[in-house]
Amino acid sequence: MANKIKILFLCTGNSCRSQMAEGWAKYLHPASLEPFSAGIETHGLNPLAIKVMAEVGIDISSQKSKLTTELTGINFDYIVAVCDQAAKSCPLFPGPGKIVRKIFPDPPKMAAAETTEKEKLECYRKVRDEIKDFVKGFPDNLLTP
């Protein structure tokens, strides 16, 4: 497929959910999607997100936490807000990009109540797997409200 679908996964800090979504999109749809991720802020890559993605054979450690302003000039087909704050603060991008809101729980907030690393990782795994299920259905599930 010569013209890949350009998709931006948008989150507040571009450290966890949007990074996992970008990783899944690259892994599950390499021929049809050109995925990006960015945030309203940058918080750096979350080490536990890197760890749980590595568990399923996806290395996101070389991805970079970046601001939406670093992606100006890209005409996205879809902008997927994966958290409440990003959905509320979604910046405008030029072009016909359709905004899709698919909110996932925040793994760091979920893990904050846990005491062991094993329990914390379970929170991240749960969200990782929810994101996988969503991304697996692309592009069809992007077209439905």
Side-chain angles (χ1 to χ4, degrees):
M1 180 182 271
N3 293 327
K4 293 183 179 184
I5 296 169
K6 289 185 174 91
I7 185 166
L8 171 64
F9 296 99
L10 183 63
C11 201
T12 302
N14 192 220
S15 68
C16 191
R17 291 169 281 185
S18 53
Q19 295 285 351
M20 288 193 281
E22 179 183 353
W24 277 121
K26 287 177 180 175
Y27 180 79
L28 293 170
H29 303 286
S32 60
L33 296 180
E34 186 176 353
F36 299 83
S37 67
I40 309 301
E41 307 164 2
T42 57
H43 297 168
L45 283 174
N46 183 299
L48 295 181
I50 294 169
K51 190 170 192 168
V52 298
M53 291 300 286
E55 291 174 352
V56 293
I58 300 171
D59 180 9
I60 64 169
S61 65
S62 64
Q63 292 177 195
K64 178 184 172 255
S65 182
K66 57 199 154 305
L67 294 171
T68 56
T69 55
E70 295 177 56
L71 301 176
T72 55
I74 299 173
N75 288 322
F76 293 105
D77 298 295
Y78 296 96
I79 296 124
V80 180
V82 296
C83 73
D84 285 326
Q85 187 60 34
K88 291 175 190 167
S89 306
C90 187
L92 293 175
F93 287 91
K98 178 183 177 186
I99 296 173
V100 176
R101 287 167 173 78
K102 179 60 178 168
I103 310 305
F104 294 99
D106 185 8
K109 283 185 183 171
M110 293 167 56
E114 305 300 342
T115 54
T116 68
E117 182 172 320
K118 181 180 178 184
E119 292 168 330
K120 291 178 188 299
L121 286 170
E122 280 305 313
C123 297
Y124 283 78
R125 289 180 187 118
K126 178 183 183 311
V127 176
R128 174 201 66 199
D129 295 346
E130 287 179 23
I131 293 171
K132 176 188 178 187
D133 290 343
F134 175 65
V135 172
K136 193 189 293 188
F138 285 5
D140 295 338
N141 62 359
L142 294 170
L143 305 174
T144 57

PDB file of all heavy atoms in Angstrom, residues 66-82:
ATOM      1  N   LYS A  66       7.166  13.332  22.660  1.00  0.00           N
ATOM      2  CA  LYS A  66       7.234  14.597  21.927  1.00  0.00           C
ATOM      3  C   LYS A  66       5.936  15.384  22.035  1.00  0.00           C
ATOM      4  O   LYS A  66       4.877  14.831  22.309  1.00  0.00           O
ATOM      5  CB  LYS A  66       7.612  14.362  20.471  1.00  0.00           C
ATOM      6  CG  LYS A  66       6.709  13.442  19.705  1.00  0.00           C
ATOM      7  CD  LYS A  66       7.421  12.921  18.460  1.00  0.00           C
ATOM      8  CE  LYS A  66       6.893  11.602  17.992  1.00  0.00           C
ATOM      9  NZ  LYS A  66       6.871  10.521  18.924  1.00  0.00           N
ATOM     10  N   LEU A  67       6.073  16.678  21.774  1.00  0.00           N
ATOM     11  CA  LEU A  67       4.931  17.586  21.777  1.00  0.00           C
ATOM     12  C   LEU A  67       4.230  17.543  20.427  1.00  0.00           C
ATOM     13  O   LEU A  67       4.856  17.260  19.399  1.00  0.00           O
ATOM     14  CB  LEU A  67       5.399  19.014  22.045  1.00  0.00           C
ATOM     15  CG  LEU A  67       5.990  19.290  23.414  1.00  0.00           C
ATOM     16  CD1 LEU A  67       6.615  20.682  23.446  1.00  0.00           C
ATOM     17  CD2 LEU A  67       4.925  19.160  24.489  1.00  0.00           C
ATOM     18  N   THR A  68       2.961  17.900  20.442  1.00  0.00           N
ATOM     19  CA  THR A  68       2.217  17.967  19.182  1.00  0.00           C
ATOM     20  C   THR A  68       2.841  18.969  18.220  1.00  0.00           C
ATOM     21  O   THR A  68       2.785  18.781  17.008  1.00  0.00           O
ATOM     22  CB  THR A  68       0.745  18.348  19.439  1.00  0.00           C
ATOM     23  OG1 THR A  68       0.705  19.588  20.150  1.00  0.00           O
ATOM     24  CG2 THR A  68       0.028  17.274  20.236  1.00  0.00           C
ATOM     25  N   THR A  69       3.452  20.010  18.753  1.00  0.00           N
ATOM     26  CA  THR A  69       4.057  21.032  17.891  1.00  0.00           C
ATOM     27  C   THR A  69       5.209  20.490  17.054  1.00  0.00           C
ATOM     28  O   THR A  69       5.574  21.089  16.047  1.00  0.00           O
ATOM     29  CB  THR A  69       4.556  22.229  18.731  1.00  0.00           C
ATOM     30  OG1 THR A  69       5.450  21.746  19.747  1.00  0.00           O
ATOM     31  CG2 THR A  69       3.392  22.971  19.369  1.00  0.00           C
ATOM     32  N   GLU A  70       5.775  19.369  17.456  1.00  0.00           N
ATOM     33  CA  GLU A  70       6.862  18.749  16.690  1.00  0.00           C
ATOM     34  C   GLU A  70       6.339  18.032  15.446  1.00  0.00           C
ATOM     35  O   GLU A  70       7.130  17.595  14.610  1.00  0.00           O
ATOM     36  CB  GLU A  70       7.641  17.772  17.568  1.00  0.00           C
ATOM     37  CG  GLU A  70       8.372  18.424  18.728  1.00  0.00           C
ATOM     38  CD  GLU A  70       9.074  17.422  19.612  1.00  0.00           C
ATOM     39  OE1 GLU A  70       9.907  16.638  19.089  1.00  0.00           O
ATOM     40  OE2 GLU A  70       8.790  17.410  20.823  1.00  0.00           O
ATOM     41  N   LEU A  71       5.026  17.903  15.327  1.00  0.00           N
ATOM     42  CA  LEU A  71       4.432  17.168  14.213  1.00  0.00           C
ATOM     43  C   LEU A  71       3.630  18.065  13.276  1.00  0.00           C
ATOM     44  O   LEU A  71       2.884  17.563  12.432  1.00  0.00           O
ATOM     45  CB  LEU A  71       3.547  16.032  14.748  1.00  0.00           C
ATOM     46  CG  LEU A  71       4.262  15.016  15.634  1.00  0.00           C
ATOM     47  CD1 LEU A  71       3.266  14.006  16.189  1.00  0.00           C
ATOM     48  CD2 LEU A  71       5.372  14.317  14.885  1.00  0.00           C
ATOM     49  N   THR A  72       3.782  19.366  13.423  1.00  0.00           N
ATOM     50  CA  THR A  72       3.073  20.253  12.503  1.00  0.00           C
ATOM     51  C   THR A  72       3.592  20.015  11.093  1.00  0.00           C
ATOM     52  O   THR A  72       4.749  19.672  10.893  1.00  0.00           O
ATOM     53  CB  THR A  72       3.249  21.738  12.894  1.00  0.00           C
ATOM     54  OG1 THR A  72       4.635  22.027  12.977  1.00  0.00           O
ATOM     55  CG2 THR A  72       2.583  22.042  14.217  1.00  0.00           C
ATOM     56  N   GLY A  73       2.724  20.148  10.150  1.00  0.00           N
ATOM     57  CA  GLY A  73       3.102  19.888   8.761  1.00  0.00           C
ATOM     58  C   GLY A  73       2.731  18.493   8.295  1.00  0.00           C
ATOM     59  O   GLY A  73       2.809  18.191   7.112  1.00  0.00           O
ATOM     60  N   ILE A  74       2.324  17.627   9.214  1.00  0.00           N
ATOM     61  CA  ILE A  74       1.872  16.287   8.837  1.00  0.00           C
ATOM     62  C   ILE A  74       0.348  16.326   8.751  1.00  0.00           C
ATOM     63  O   ILE A  74      -0.326  16.751   9.695  1.00  0.00           O
ATOM     64  CB  ILE A  74       2.324  15.224   9.858  1.00  0.00           C
ATOM     65  CG1 ILE A  74       3.848  15.173   9.937  1.00  0.00           C
ATOM     66  CG2 ILE A  74       1.753  13.849   9.478  1.00  0.00           C
ATOM     67  CD1 ILE A  74       4.385  14.276  11.044  1.00  0.00           C
ATOM     68  N   ASN A  75      -0.186  15.909   7.624  1.00  0.00           N
ATOM     69  CA  ASN A  75      -1.637  15.844   7.459  1.00  0.00           C
ATOM     70  C   ASN A  75      -2.127  14.473   7.908  1.00  0.00           C
ATOM     71  O   ASN A  75      -2.042  13.503   7.162  1.00  0.00           O
ATOM     72  CB  ASN A  75      -2.032  16.111   6.010  1.00  0.00           C
ATOM     73  CG  ASN A  75      -1.854  17.564   5.633  1.00  0.00           C
ATOM     74  OD1 ASN A  75      -2.116  18.453   6.434  1.00  0.00           O
ATOM     75  ND2 ASN A  75      -1.393  17.808   4.428  1.00  0.00           N
ATOM     76  N   PHE A  76      -2.613  14.414   9.130  1.00  0.00           N
ATOM     77  CA  PHE A  76      -3.085  13.151   9.689  1.00  0.00           C
ATOM     78  C   PHE A  76      -4.457  12.802   9.140  1.00  0.00           C
ATOM     79  O   PHE A  76      -5.306  13.668   8.964  1.00  0.00           O
ATOM     80  CB  PHE A  76      -3.142  13.231  11.220  1.00  0.00           C
ATOM     81  CG  PHE A  76      -1.800  13.353  11.855  1.00  0.00           C
ATOM     82  CD1 PHE A  76      -1.365  14.561  12.371  1.00  0.00           C
ATOM     83  CD2 PHE A  76      -0.945  12.270  11.920  1.00  0.00           C
ATOM     84  CE1 PHE A  76      -0.114  14.689  12.942  1.00  0.00           C
ATOM     85  CE2 PHE A  76       0.301  12.380  12.487  1.00  0.00           C
ATOM     86  CZ  PHE A  76       0.724  13.596  13.000  1.00  0.00           C
ATOM     87  N   ASP A  77      -4.667  11.519   8.912  1.00  0.00           N
ATOM     88  CA  ASP A  77      -5.984  11.026   8.539  1.00  0.00           C
ATOM     89  C   ASP A  77      -6.858  10.877   9.781  1.00  0.00           C
ATOM     90  O   ASP A  77      -8.068  11.107   9.730  1.00  0.00           O
ATOM     91  CB  ASP A  77      -5.855   9.684   7.812  1.00  0.00           C
ATOM     92  CG  ASP A  77      -5.069   9.822   6.520  1.00  0.00           C
ATOM     93  OD1 ASP A  77      -5.561  10.521   5.613  1.00  0.00           O
ATOM     94  OD2 ASP A  77      -3.956   9.263   6.437  1.00  0.00           O
ATOM     95  N   TYR A  78      -6.214  10.479  10.889  1.00  0.00           N
ATOM     96  CA  TYR A  78      -6.912  10.288  12.162  1.00  0.00           C
ATOM     97  C   TYR A  78      -6.058  10.805  13.301  1.00  0.00           C
ATOM     98  O   TYR A  78      -4.835  10.628  13.302  1.00  0.00           O
ATOM     99  CB  TYR A  78      -7.221   8.804  12.419  1.00  0.00           C
ATOM    100  CG  TYR A  78      -8.175   8.222  11.422  1.00  0.00           C
ATOM    101  CD1 TYR A  78      -7.708   7.535  10.312  1.00  0.00           C
ATOM    102  CD2 TYR A  78      -9.550   8.363  11.587  1.00  0.00           C
ATOM    103  CE1 TYR A  78      -8.580   7.007   9.379  1.00  0.00           C
ATOM    104  CE2 TYR A  78     -10.435   7.837  10.658  1.00  0.00           C
ATOM    105  CZ  TYR A  78      -9.938   7.157   9.564  1.00  0.00           C
ATOM    106  OH  TYR A  78     -10.807   6.642   8.642  1.00  0.00           O
ATOM    107  N   ILE A  79      -6.714  11.424  14.276  1.00  0.00           N
ATOM    108  CA  ILE A  79      -6.085  11.824  15.524  1.00  0.00           C
ATOM    109  C   ILE A  79      -6.874  11.119  16.612  1.00  0.00           C
ATOM    110  O   ILE A  79      -8.083  11.383  16.777  1.00  0.00           O
ATOM    111  CB  ILE A  79      -6.113  13.354  15.719  1.00  0.00           C
ATOM    112  CG1 ILE A  79      -5.283  14.024  14.619  1.00  0.00           C
ATOM    113  CG2 ILE A  79      -5.559  13.731  17.078  1.00  0.00           C
ATOM    114  CD1 ILE A  79      -6.044  15.027  13.829  1.00  0.00           C
ATOM    115  N   VAL A  80      -6.226  10.200  17.318  1.00  0.00           N
ATOM    116  CA  VAL A  80      -6.909   9.408  18.334  1.00  0.00           C
ATOM    117  C   VAL A  80      -6.476   9.898  19.711  1.00  0.00           C
ATOM    118  O   VAL A  80      -5.318   9.734  20.102  1.00  0.00           O
ATOM    119  CB  VAL A  80      -6.597   7.901  18.183  1.00  0.00           C
ATOM    120  CG1 VAL A  80      -7.314   7.094  19.265  1.00  0.00           C
ATOM    121  CG2 VAL A  80      -6.992   7.407  16.800  1.00  0.00           C
ATOM    122  N   ALA A  81      -7.402  10.517  20.429  1.00  0.00           N
ATOM    123  CA  ALA A  81      -7.147  10.958  21.801  1.00  0.00           C
ATOM    124  C   ALA A  81      -7.368   9.760  22.714  1.00  0.00           C
ATOM    125  O   ALA A  81      -8.460   9.189  22.738  1.00  0.00           O
ATOM    126  CB  ALA A  81      -8.070  12.104  22.172  1.00  0.00           C
ATOM    127  N   VAL A  82      -6.327   9.363  23.446  1.00  0.00           N
ATOM    128  CA  VAL A  82      -6.410   8.157  24.273  1.00  0.00           C
ATOM    129  C   VAL A  82      -6.574   8.453  25.765  1.00  0.00           C
ATOM    130  O   VAL A  82      -6.569   7.539  26.579  1.00  0.00           O
ATOM    131  CB  VAL A  82      -5.191   7.225  24.042  1.00  0.00           C
ATOM    132  CG1 VAL A  82      -5.174   6.714  22.611  1.00  0.00           C
ATOM    133  CG2 VAL A  82      -3.888   7.904  24.399  1.00  0.00           C
TER     134      VAL A  82
END
